[in-house]
Amino acid sequence: MNISARDVRFAYSEREVLKGVTLEVGPNKIVCIAGPNGSGKSTLIKCLEGLLLPSSGSVFLDEIDLASIGPREIARRIGYVPQSTTQLFSMSVFDTVLMGRKPHYRFRCSDRDIDIVADVLQLMDLGGLAMDEFNQLSGGQQQRVLIARALAQQPELLLLDEPTSALDIAHQLEVMDILGELVQSTSLGVIMVVHDLNLASRYADRIVLLKDGSIFASGAPHETLTAENIASVYGVEVHLSHHDGFVSVTPFRRMRETSSERRVVEA
Amino acid sequence: MTTSFETVDVLREHNQRLKAAYEKDRLRKRLFVILLVPVVGALVGSAVAFGSADISFWDTYGVVFRRVFQGDGVDALGNAGIIVWRLRLPRVILGLVAGVALGSSGAVMQVVLRNPLADPYMLGISSAASFGASLAIVMGVGVLGGSYLVIGNAFLFSLLSAGLILMLSSRNGTSPEKMLLTGLALLFFFQAMTTITQYFGDSDAVRAAVFWAVGDLGRANWTTVAISAGVVAVGTGLLVWKSGDLNVMNTGDESAQSMGINVSRTRVFTMVVCTVMVACIVSFTGTIGFVGLVAPHLVRMIVGPDNRILVPASGLIGAVLLVLADTVARTVVSPVILPVGAVTAFLGVPLFVYLIMRRKGGLA
C-alpha cells in the first residue's frame, strides 16, 4: 500500500504547524521523520493516521482519500504507536495488546486473535509481563506494549511517534531489528518519528528532515544527514563519521543563530 | 525471527503457557458474573420475606406461588397477599432494576467521562429531576392524584438537562472535561432553581418535595416496575454491546480512534443510553446515591477494568447493594421505613472506605 500526503497543511487554531507537506511512502520501506521540537513531526503522523484532518490538502491510501473512510477501515490498514498513553483504569498487558485485534473482529475475538497476541508478546520480549497491569510498567515497557499492540493489528503501514524514546539501547536495537525484518519479509511500510539521528541513519531507507512545518530535506541517510543540513535544521554543529557504511552523528556545539539557508536534496 | 528448531519449540511452549494463563484469567472473571446471577436471585427472593408486617416465610412464598402458578387474584390472598404482592414484590424488583441501571451506567460513565469520580447523575440528572418534581409538587402544577405528573416532570427535566449538556459540550468538539464541567454547572443551576421553588412553597409541599428527592423505593407498583424493567433491560443490553469499544476508549481518545473506534459517536451514544435509563429510574425512585459510584469500583477491585465483564457485573453488584440496603431500610427501625437513598450510603461507605484503604497504590 502506498500512502501519500499531498500538500498537507494543518493549523492548531491560529498557528500553522504544517505548511504544505508532500510525501509518499510505499511498502518495504522504513522512513524516518526527524526535526526539532515543534517542527510538526507528530502533527504530520497524526494527519497520516486520520486523527487530525488537514486544513487543506489530503492524504491518500493508494487512491482512496483518507477523509472518505471511517476509523475502523483505517485501523485495519494503518497501525499507530503514540508517544505514550495513559489508561484510566489499568488493564493487563495481554488485554492491551489484544485491542490491536479489535479492528479485525466484530463482537468477540477468535482463538486466532489470541494466538496472534501471544506470538507478538513473545516477539516483543513481553511474555513475562503478559498478566501485569499496564499502568504499573516502566515507560520503556509501556512503549514496547504499544508497539506490540500495533504489530498485533497486522497493518500494511505502521506509523510510530518516537517509539524508542524511552527504550534502553538493547531494546532500541531489538525493536528496530524487528521492524526491519517485518519490512523485509512482508509488504509493511514504516514511517517513524525519531530524535536519534544515528538510529535513523542505521535503519532508515529514507530520512525526512522537517523544519518549521515544511520538508527541509528528504533522501537516503547519507544524503540528508549532512553537517550543513543538521546545522540549518537544528542549529547544532556536528561531527560526522562513517562506520560500516552508516553515517554517525556526534553533536558538538549549539550554534547561536540558526542558518536559514535551505539545502534540499532530491530523494 | 527464529532459526533453529529448538527455539521454535521453546517459543511454542511459552505461547501455550501464555494462552493458558490468559484463558484461565478470563474464565475466572466470567465465572464471577455467572455466579452473581443466582446470588442476586436468592437475595431478591429472600428480601421479599422481610418487612415490618408480620408475615411468615411460608406465607410469603405461598402468596407468590399461588399468584404466579395458580393464577389466584390478589384480593383472594388476603392481607398477606396485598402486602407481599402489591407492596413488597414490586418494591424489591424495582430495587433490583434500579440497582442494575445505576451500577452499569456508573461503570460506563466513569470510562466515557474519563473520571473515576463520575456517577450516573453526572449530567445533572438528579438535580434536574428534583427541580421538575419540586415544580410539580410545590408550585402545584397539577400534583393531586396525578403522581404521574411528578414522574413525568422529573423525567422530562432530567432529559432536558442531559440534552443541554450534550448540546453545549459538543460545540467545537466534545471532550469529557467539557461535559463534566457543563454537567456540574447545570447541577448547581437546577439546585438553585429547586431552592427558589421551595422557598415560595408551603411547608407541607416542601416537605413532600424534599422527601421525593431522597431516594425511596416506596412508590413502586407493577406499572413502574414494568416500564423501568423494559427500559433498563434494553439500555443495559446496549451498554454491554458497546463495552468492547469502551475498553479501547479507556486508553484515551486518540488511541481509541487509531484502533478504529468512532470515539465521539460512541461517547454520545452511551451517554444517551445511560441518561434515558437513569432518568427513568430517578423519576420513579428519586436520587439513590452512591450505588452508581461504588458498584463499578467494587467490581474493578475484584475482576479488573474489562468493561465486557465490568458493565454487567456492576449492574448485578448495584442490584445486590440496593436490595440489601432497602431490606435494611425496611426492617432496621420497623415499622418506620427509612429512605433507601440514605441507607445505601450508611452501608456502602464503610465497606468502600475499607476497600480503598486496603488497596495499595491508586484506585485506577
Side-chain angles (χ1 to χ4, degrees):
Chain A
M1 182 181 77
N2 272 299
I3 188 166
S4 54
R6 297 180 196 168
D7 195 28
V8 166
R9 288 166 184 276
F10 185 85
Y12 292 104
S13 54
E14 296 299 299
R15 199 166 52 91
E16 191 165 52
V17 180
L18 290 181
K19 299 166 181 166
V21 171
T22 299
L23 179 75
E24 180 158 3
V25 178
N28 307 108
K29 290 274 180 289
I30 294 184
V31 174
C32 287
I33 301 176
N37 300 140
S39 58
K41 304 182 296 295
S42 296
T43 308
L44 176 58
I45 289 280
K46 284 177 187 172
C47 285
L48 294 176
E49 163 68 2
L51 291 175
L52 297 175
L53 204 63
S55 37
S56 79
S58 329
V59 176
F60 289 88
L61 297 182
D62 293 327
E63 281 311 310
I64 308 165
D65 190 338
L66 200 63
S68 69
I69 53 177
R72 191 178 159 87
E73 194 54 42
I74 296 174
R76 284 185 184 169
R77 310 187 67 183
I78 307 180
Y80 168 65
V81 179
Q83 284 182 16
S84 66
T85 67
T86 44
Q87 296 188 352
L88 178 64
F89 300 108
S90 187
M91 308 179 77
S92 75
V93 168
F94 201 109
D95 277 324
T96 306
V97 176
L98 189 58
M99 270 176 217
R101 301 302 303 158
K102 187 90 179 90
H104 298 284
Y105 64 82
R106 266 278 161 212
F107 292 108
R108 45 183 312 173
C109 56
S110 67
D111 230 31
R112 203 180 87 85
D113 293 318
I114 297 200
D115 276 331
I116 291 171
V117 171
D119 284 342
V120 169
L121 285 173
Q122 295 291 352
L123 180 69
M124 290 299 293
D125 194 18
L126 290 165
L129 300 174
M131 286 302 154
D132 289 18
E133 284 189 21
F134 180 85
N135 285 1
Q136 291 178 353
L137 302 182
S138 76
Q141 289 169 331
Q142 290 188 352
Q143 225 164 25
R144 273 152 56 211
V145 173
L146 294 177
I147 296 170
R149 184 178 73 166
L151 291 181
Q153 217 172 329
Q154 295 184 328
E156 298 164 62
L157 175 78
L158 201 50
L159 304 171
L160 306 101
D161 198 348
E162 291 181 40
T164 57
S165 59
L167 300 189
D168 60 64
I169 48 174
H171 280 113
Q172 278 186 12
L173 294 178
E174 190 180 277
V175 163
M176 293 309 298
D177 283 336
I178 289 169
L179 291 180
E181 187 130 355
L182 281 172
V183 163
Q184 291 299 316
S185 60
T186 64
S187 61
L188 181 73
V190 170
I191 303 177
M192 58 191 291
V193 171
V194 280
H195 277 306
D196 186 340
L197 297 177
N198 291 315
L199 207 65
S201 143
R202 171 82 174 71
Y203 288 95
D205 295 297
R206 180 148 60 106
I207 293 178
V208 175
L209 283 179
L210 275 187
K211 187 190 180 188
D212 295 332
S214 318
I215 294 180
F216 182 83
S218 168
H222 68 272
E223 295 169 321
T224 39
L225 294 181
T226 63
E228 294 83 4
N229 280 345
I230 294 171
S232 313
V233 170
Y234 291 98
V236 169
E237 226 172 86
V238 294
H239 288 316
L240 295 182
S241 52
H242 294 265
H243 295 293
D244 308 331
F246 298 112
V247 183
S248 172
V249 181
T250 312
F252 174 60
R253 187 166 71 84
R254 179 93 166 93
M255 299 187 314
R256 271 285 150 245
E257 53 214 274
T258 56
S259 161
S260 58
E261 192 185 346
R262 295 176 70 104
R263 262 169 238 268
V264 182
V265 180
E266 281 304 315
Chain B
M1 289 325 84
T2 47
T3 42
S4 74
F5 284 108
E6 300 106 272
T7 24
V8 172
D9 274 347
V10 170
L11 262 186
R12 189 164 299 150
E13 195 196 311
H14 276 288
N15 260 1
Q16 289 308 323
R17 218 178 299 155
L18 207 60
K19 271 184 70 180
Y22 179 70
E23 302 282 5
K24 196 178 145 202
D25 185 60
R26 207 160 56 153
L27 191 69
R28 185 181 69 89
K29 289 170 180 171
R30 285 212 186 124
L31 218 57
F32 176 74
V33 182
I34 293 166
L35 287 179
L36 266 180
V37 175
V39 168
V40 171
L43 196 68
V44 168
S46 46
V48 179
F50 289 97
S52 38
D54 196 15
I55 302 169
S56 75
F57 264 62
W58 287 117
D59 288 348
T60 308
Y61 295 116
V63 165
V64 176
F65 183 81
R66 280 169 62 192
R67 181 77 183 89
V68 175
F69 294 103
Q70 300 180 338
D72 290 358
V74 176
D75 301 324
L77 296 172
N79 236 356
I82 290 173
I83 290 171
V84 170
W85 191 261
R86 290 249 167 92
L87 297 176
R88 278 192 201 163
L89 206 53
R91 182 183 178 116
V92 171
I93 295 179
L94 186 64
L96 164 80
V97 171
V100 169
L102 295 173
S104 58
S105 59
V108 170
M109 286 290 206
Q110 287 169 0
V111 174
V112 164
L113 290 174
R114 290 192 72 71
N115 193 324
L117 297 176
D119 76 4
Y121 303 126
M122 219 62 184
L123 295 189
I125 293 174
S126 62
S127 58
S130 296
F131 172 64
S134 295
L135 210 61
I137 298 170
V138 178
M139 293 302 189
V141 194
V143 55
L144 270 177
S147 62
Y148 277 90
L149 198 91
V150 180
I151 291 170
N153 243 8
F155 185 71
L156 283 179
F157 272 93
S158 30
L159 284 194
L160 179 84
S161 162
L164 215 59
I165 289 163
L166 286 178
M167 215 175 65
L168 289 173
S169 62
S170 70
R171 287 175 62 89
N172 302 322
T174 32
S175 73
E177 295 79 15
K178 260 199 227 169
M179 283 182 172
L180 277 172
L181 290 175
T182 9
L184 208 59
L186 280 196
L187 184 128
F188 282 115
F189 174 75
F190 280 115
Q191 264 174 8
M193 297 282 280
T194 308
T195 308
I196 287 174
T197 315
Q198 293 178 351
Y199 194 76
F200 290 108
D202 71 73
S203 58
D204 281 349
V206 169
R207 202 176 133 84
V210 169
F211 275 126
W212 187 93
V214 180
D216 185 12
L217 294 168
R219 295 182 289 264
N221 60 48
W222 283 111
T223 319
T224 58
V225 165
I227 295 172
S228 52
V231 171
V232 170
V234 174
T236 312
L238 289 172
L239 295 182
V240 172
W241 174 54
K242 282 287 174 199
S243 59
D245 292 2
L246 295 178
N247 277 348
V248 187
M249 280 174 67
N250 177 39
T251 64
D253 284 8
E254 268 186 3
S255 163
Q257 196 186 329
S258 78
M259 295 285 123
I261 308 295
N262 190 327
V263 174
S264 48
R265 197 187 292 169
T266 307
R267 177 168 284 132
V268 170
F269 175 83
T270 49
M271 298 274 255
V272 168
V273 172
C274 288
T275 301
V276 172
M277 208 157 74
V278 175
C280 168
I281 293 298
V282 165
S283 28
F284 292 142
T285 68
T287 314
I288 299 174
F290 207 60
V291 174
L293 172 71
V294 169
H297 282 298
L298 287 180
V299 176
R300 270 191 211 100
M301 287 174 194
I302 303 166
V303 292
D306 184 343
N307 289 291
R308 289 166 303 178
I309 303 288
L310 179 69
V311 174
S314 298
L316 292 172
I317 289 284
V320 168
L321 285 177
L322 197 45
V323 171
L324 226 99
D326 185 52
T327 309
V328 171
R330 286 184 293 132
T331 50
V332 69
V333 284
S334 151
V336 176
I337 299 179
L338 295 174
V340 67
V343 178
T344 45
F346 269 123
L347 291 181
V349 168
L351 173 70
F352 191 47
V353 170
Y354 165 72
L355 285 170
I356 292 171
M357 294 322 225
R358 210 189 53 155
R359 199 179 151 83
K360 295 187 199 87
L363 247 192

